[in-house]
Amino acid sequence: MGISLTETAADRVRTFLTNRGKGIGLRLGIKTSGCSGLAYVLEFVDELHEDDHVFEQYGVKIIVDTKSLVYLDGTELDFVKEGLNEGFKFNNPNVKEQCGCGESFHV
């Protein structure tokens, strides 16, 4: 399946990378955190690692390591504005439960 992103998310990532002045893409990963167990991690990527998987859409590369891909396979990354708030939204079909505050999830 892989990782996909909406055109809105791609535009936002492209803007971040342009403003940063370097980087080949955005890393999407997971870490142990919160009340439900796992949390998403986003960071800029300057170099690829051996276990990285690269997904490209709308000219933007999303990089995911093998360990994280197990939990993220099929995820769509979106960028949404809700009132005064804006941010990335993870549409992950693997999520079984999510904590009430939305900070963490369980698969």
Side-chain angles (χ1 to χ4, degrees):
M1 289 179 83
I3 306 297
S4 63
L5 66 159
T6 65
E7 192 169 356
T8 304
D11 289 343
R12 186 54 113 180
V13 172
R14 202 180 307 62
T15 298
F16 285 144
L17 288 170
T18 299
N19 291 342
R20 186 171 180 255
K22 65 177 181 174
I24 59 172
L26 186 70
R27 180 175 302 282
L28 174 57
I30 53 111
K31 67 177 180 176
T32 303
S33 177
C35 28
S36 292
L38 300 171
Y40 298 106
V41 176
L42 288 174
E43 59 189 13
F44 297 112
V45 175
D46 294 325
E47 294 180 18
L48 293 176
H49 301 137
E50 276 187 37
D51 69 334
D52 283 340
H53 300 266
V54 179
F55 304 94
E56 186 169 349
Q57 201 167 9
Y58 302 109
V60 172
K61 290 182 174 80
I62 300 295
I63 296 98
V64 182
D65 65 87
T66 299
K67 180 184 132 196
S68 296
L69 188 56
V70 172
Y71 302 100
L72 299 173
D73 195 26
T75 296
E76 177 191 59
L77 183 62
D78 193 7
F79 189 83
V80 296
K81 292 183 180 185
E82 296 173 352
L84 297 175
N85 298 318
E86 62 182 25
F88 287 103
K89 180 178 179 182
F90 305 90
N91 299 312
N92 185 343
N94 304 301
V95 171
K96 302 289 186 239
E97 296 176 344
Q98 192 167 0
C99 120
C101 63
E103 291 280 324
S104 61
F105 64 96
H106 175 74
V107 293

